[in-house]
Every structure is written in structure tokens, then in C-alpha cells.
Amino acid sequence: MQVEPVTIIGAGPAGLAAAIQLKRYGIDPIIFERALIGGLLHNANLVENYPGFPGGISGPELVRCFIEQARSIGIDVIFETVTLLEEAGSQFRVTTPSRVCLSRIVVIATGTRPCTFSDFEILAPLQERVFYEAFPLLGIEGKRIAIVGAGDAAFDYALNLAKRNQVVILNRGEQQKCLPILWERSQAVSRISYHARTTVSRLSETASGEIAIKCAAPTGSLDLYVDYLIGAIGREQELDFVATQLLERTHELEMRGTLYRIGDVKNGIFRQMSIAVGDGVLAAMQIYRQLEETRG
């Protein structure tokens, strides 16, 4: 079986940046992506802290730029889910539903997955209208949407979706945890309403097909009727595909320069595209040096 020099798992900003920099060195990595190029950028209403875009740029628009750049230099993305990453001697074995490949170096750029609701039941008829990302709903209009959360994601989703819909934000706590500028902007949008110290206790379906949300609020019980519900209640690392033994040796392999974690999968709450891009470029530079030393 042919051994690839570098395999990148994930084609978000971190994975793409690593691939672009490796391509500049003349290294063609294998890139696997399970869903969409661009990762969480598909949800972003406005990216304002990435240099080069005065006034900001929407997440989907920036993704289109990424895809265009990748294609222009011959970067191909394989749309397959990596189901297992494990060690195979001094190499790594990468398994997808349709193939198994070996690689000398692996870059994990899989980002995060959303935390899901666990404190109330979501009945089967409602499950297809409960989401944890904003992008599946970006094409709708004239709907009512409830968002549970109080961080940057919740308010960014609200600003994005309120362009053509009515949005209510439900904060289980007292304080907003978002950037002040997102709070200020949301307050200026008449289609966005906000409730603090409001906890969802039950979901049900009305006779007309709406989602009935029963909440515990400071003034007592609060009943809301919406078309969609979004959970923006946190995210966790996407590492389920990594073999347990490999996870236990991650730090050792990173120090050795054969395994890299970059972007959101590594940076915890610091989920910023600019950080992820920097991670990707740095990893590619280190990989190039590692491969050159091996050849020498």
C-alpha cells in the first residue's frame, strides 16, 4: 500500500490553510472532509477580524473564496468521513467507508461538534426542526425561530437569521456571554427579542404544526410558538474517530512531529478563523522541515 506523506482530516480554515502552504512546498496532501468545506464559516453572519476585508465579509462568501483559491492551485478534497485513525507501526492508518490509506504524518483539523439538548425531550415529529447550526436555515424567510444560548454563536445566528425572520434568544443565565458589539447590534434589530433567566422545560407540537416551547422565566411560565429551534449551547472537540491508544499518545506524537492538531479541535473556546489559519500555516511549515530532515 502506498504511504502518503501527509493526510489532513478536515477542510475548514485550518485544514485548507495547511494544504495551501504544503502545496507551496510542492507537497500534495490527501484531504478528507465529511461535510462542507469551510466548517463553521457557513454559519457566520459577518467575519470582521480577518485582515483584507474592510467592513467584513460574510462566512459563506469567504468560504467561496477559500474554495476558489484551493481549486486554482490544484487542491482536491475527498468528501468522505474518516471513521478511524490509528497507528500502524511508525505510520498512521486512516480508514473511511470506502478506503484505507497509510500516512507518515497526519493533521487533525476536524474542529468541533455542537453540544445537544439533554434537559428536555425532543419528540420525533419535532426533531427535523431542531438544529444546532444556523446555515441549514439561511434560505428561509417569514418564520419564527428560537435560539437557546448566550454566547457569540447565539447572537451571530440571530443577526443572520433576523434579516428575513423573527428571532427570539433564550438565555438560561443572567448575563450575555457574547461580544459587546453583537449585543449592541442585536438590540438595534426589531426582529430580535431577548429573554434572560429563561429555561426551556418542554417541547410539544401544536395542531397547526408549530413547536410549542414551555419555559420557566422570572415572571413565571412563558409559552412560545416557533417554526424552528436552534441550540447554541456550546461545542466539543470532534475526535471520536481517533483510536483510544492514539489519543493517549497524542502529546508524544505531536512532540515527535508526526501528528498535528490545528484549529478549533485544539484551541478550546478560542474559535477564531484567524487563529485556525495561523495554526494551519505553522503546521505546514513544521511538516516541511520534518520531511526535509527525514530525507537528509
Side-chain angles (χ1 to χ4, degrees), residues 35-252:
L36 296 170
I37 292 175
L40 292 181
L41 278 179
H42 287 274
N43 294 311
N45 175 52
L46 194 63
V47 179
E48 297 177 282
N49 62 350
Y50 194 69
F53 298 96
I57 183 171
S58 76
E61 192 175 350
L62 190 51
V63 170
R64 285 192 288 273
C65 293
F66 282 3
I67 293 172
E68 183 179 346
Q69 183 174 359
R71 286 176 176 167
S72 71
I73 59 175
I75 292 176
D76 295 318
V77 176
I78 301 170
F79 289 96
E80 294 182 14
T81 299
V82 173
T83 55
L84 181 63
L85 172 64
E86 57 190 335
E87 289 185 89
S90 60
Q91 299 154 354
F92 297 96
R93 182 183 295 112
V94 183
T95 303
T96 77
S98 66
R99 73 185 77 198
V100 176
C101 64
L102 296 177
S103 185
R104 291 175 58 187
I105 295 174
V106 167
V107 179
I108 300 175
T110 45
T112 58
R113 62 172 179 265
C115 299
T116 57
F117 293 121
S118 60
D119 45 0
F120 53 85
E121 184 181 8
I122 303 174
L123 300 174
L126 301 179
Q127 289 176 2
E128 63 182 19
R129 285 181 283 150
V130 176
F131 296 86
Y132 299 95
E133 312 274 4
F135 74 86
L137 300 178
L138 293 182
I140 67 171
E141 58 181 298
K143 302 296 183 180
R144 288 168 294 173
I145 303 166
I147 300 175
V148 177
D152 290 347
F155 284 86
D156 195 62
Y157 292 176
L159 288 165
N160 213 347
L161 293 167
K163 295 170 184 175
R164 293 183 291 180
N165 303 279
Q166 295 290 330
V167 179
V168 56
I169 301 173
L170 306 176
N171 180 1
R172 295 181 288 187
E174 178 71 39
Q175 299 296 324
Q176 310 88 32
K177 299 177 182 178
C178 65
L179 289 167
I181 193 171
L182 294 179
W183 168 250
E184 292 168 9
R185 287 174 179 170
S186 70
Q187 290 294 286
V189 177
S190 61
R191 290 180 176 178
I192 298 177
S193 58
Y194 170 78
H195 297 274
R197 293 163 53 199
T198 301
T199 304
V200 176
S201 58
R202 184 165 61 89
L203 299 184
S204 58
E205 186 176 26
T206 68
S208 58
E210 298 171 305
I211 301 175
I213 307 176
K214 181 165 287 294
C215 305
T219 55
S221 180
L222 172 67
D223 294 317
L224 299 170
Y225 301 92
V226 300
D227 298 291
Y228 299 99
L229 173 64
I230 298 177
I233 53 176
R235 303 187 72 86
E236 55 190 9
Q237 295 173 315
E238 185 64 82
L239 290 170
D240 284 355
F241 62 95
V242 182
T244 302
Q245 289 182 331
L246 179 54
L247 271 178
E248 293 171 350
R249 284 171 31 83
T250 296
H251 180 69
E252 175 188 343

